[in-house]
Amino acid sequence: MKEPPIATFAGVSWLTAASEHAKHVDDVILGLVGTSVAVILFLGILTSVILVRYRSGSRAKRPPLSLATWKIETAWTLGTLAIFLYFFWRGAVLYLDAARPPPGAEVIDVTGRQWMWDTRYPDGTREFNALHLRLNTPVRLVLSSEDVIHSFFVPALRLKQDLIPGKLTTMWFDPDRTGTFSLYCAQYCGSAHASMIGKVTVLAPHEFDAWQRSAGARTGALALAPEARGRELFAKFGCARCHGGLNAAGPSLAGLYGTRVRLSDGTFALADDEYLHEAILHGRKVAGFAPVMPTYSGIIRDSDAADICTYIEAMKTAATP
């Protein structure tokens, strides 16, 4: 079901808000634009009145000033500063909220490559240049690129996140409006950049369940969920030899995701997707362990590293393959 956009410009439904975050972004932008226009109009009208009233040759009275100008200047400066600091605070709150997904959000892997979007769901379903979501269900996208920098941009969500080769990035949102919304690559990525377009479809729960069943049937039994693929890769590359048992050469990965890791230089790092991806490809020096982690850069693809991260996130006990 496709709902008509609120307004379009150059074929893009810029004013369609498909999430609560998008509505808050609109409030901040419209408030900032409205306040800026009001200030400009006030200053423009005041300047015009003064230029006309006190122009050369006018008969306006020009007595000596009896009011200290610093009071007016201070009030004006502090007043406008407070107003625009409020918008800065609102923007910072929205930015931090967009960077902190809620617990239990559904994880979907999205890989960008020249020139298409590759989407993989937790049940193993896979599709290209499309993303299907359940209404009012928070989702966290784990983004990676196999070649150059891409940028995942959905105007209806007011969110844009770069996909950087050799690094995992994430974004989350909670779609609260059904419909089909455009997905673009907002970073020039080569000759066919303009054709790297997809669709984000938000479905009601019963419609999403029906789509999931049909998509799963089309994908077939050969498809593995990212967690299952991560488990196979974890075993294939022998990760359990160093990250399992009491006398292991590396730290245990059971329950590691989301915790703080103490590094050999005394600093701490959050064990999220970006940290684990960096550790897999380039190794990280963890306090209490010798730096014997091999470098898998060029051996493990970014999408495979993302699957291993998904498996580590689901690893709640010490059981490893």
Side-chain angles (χ1 to χ4, degrees):
M1 179 176 61
K2 183 175 181 179
E3 296 187 5
I6 298 175
T8 60
F9 177 75
V12 180
S13 53
W14 290 101
L15 295 183
T16 301
S19 68
E20 194 67 24
H21 174 82
K23 297 182 181 69
H24 292 319
V25 170
D26 288 347
D27 291 340
V28 172
I29 292 177
L30 293 176
L32 184 59
V33 171
T35 302
S36 300
V37 170
V39 171
I40 292 173
L41 288 176
F42 173 76
L43 291 177
I45 293 173
L46 181 62
T47 301
S48 299
V49 170
I50 293 174
L51 289 174
V52 173
R53 180 174 175 80
Y54 298 102
R55 70 188 186 279
S56 178
S58 68
R59 297 181 178 180
K61 296 181 180 180
R62 297 178 176 83
L65 291 176
S66 59
L67 177 67
T69 58
W70 70 267
K71 295 180 180 180
I72 298 177
E73 294 169 0
T74 301
W76 172 261
T77 302
L78 293 180
T80 53
L81 178 63
I83 292 173
F84 288 103
L85 278 179
Y86 165 77
F87 288 111
F88 173 82
W89 170 76
R90 288 283 293 137
V93 169
L94 286 175
Y95 175 81
L96 293 175
D97 179 68
R100 298 170 178 171
E106 183 179 8
V107 180
I108 299 176
D109 292 333
V110 178
T111 301
R113 64 173 66 93
Q114 294 171 316
W115 288 272
M116 62 183 295
W117 301 104
D118 183 355
T119 307
R120 293 180 298 159
Y121 297 87
D123 63 352
T125 302
R126 186 177 184 180
E127 59 180 347
F128 300 97
N129 295 328
L131 175 63
H132 284 78
L133 304 172
R134 186 194 301 270
L135 181 68
N136 294 324
T137 300
V139 58
R140 175 166 61 90
L141 302 183
V142 179
L143 307 169
S144 61
S145 171
E146 291 189 353
D147 36 51
V148 299
I149 297 177
H150 300 284
S151 189
F152 188 95
F153 176 43
V154 182
L157 298 173
R158 313 295 190 270
L159 289 171
K160 183 176 76 71
Q161 179 62 58
D162 289 346
L163 287 68
I164 303 173
K167 181 179 181 180
L168 288 187
T169 54
T170 62
M171 65 184 293
W172 83 274
F173 50 90
D174 187 353
D176 64 357
R177 178 177 180 175
T178 59
T180 301
F181 311 101
S182 297
L183 162 64
Y184 301 96
C185 177
Q187 176 69 43
Y188 182 74
C189 55
S191 59
H193 162 70
S195 64
M196 193 169 174
I197 300 174
K199 295 293 183 182
V200 176
T201 304
V202 181
L203 302 171
H206 67 282
E207 294 176 329
F208 180 84
D209 292 338
W211 170 85
Q212 196 171 43
R213 287 192 296 269
S214 63
R218 290 194 303 270
T219 302
L222 295 178
L224 284 178
E227 181 182 333
R229 289 195 72 252
R231 180 182 176 87
E232 289 189 353
L233 292 168
F234 194 89
K236 174 182 177 181
F237 290 103
C239 304
R241 288 196 297 268
C242 293
H243 295 283
L246 297 177
N247 299 318
S252 172
L253 303 180
L256 175 69
Y257 190 91
T259 64
R260 298 179 68 201
V261 179
R262 185 180 179 87
L263 304 180
S264 59
D265 60 1
T267 61
F268 288 86
L270 178 65
D272 56 5
D273 294 281
E274 296 183 28
Y275 170 85
L276 293 175
H277 186 269
E278 177 73 15
I280 292 170
L281 295 186
H282 305 290
R284 298 298 293 268
K285 297 180 180 180
V286 180
F289 296 92
V292 296
M293 174 78 177
T295 299
Y296 285 96
S297 179
I299 300 175
I300 298 180
R301 296 185 305 172
D302 284 344
S303 57
D304 291 339
D307 290 337
I308 296 176
C309 292
T310 301
Y311 171 63
I312 295 174
E313 179 180 1
M315 194 185 298
K316 305 301 182 183
T317 67
T320 55

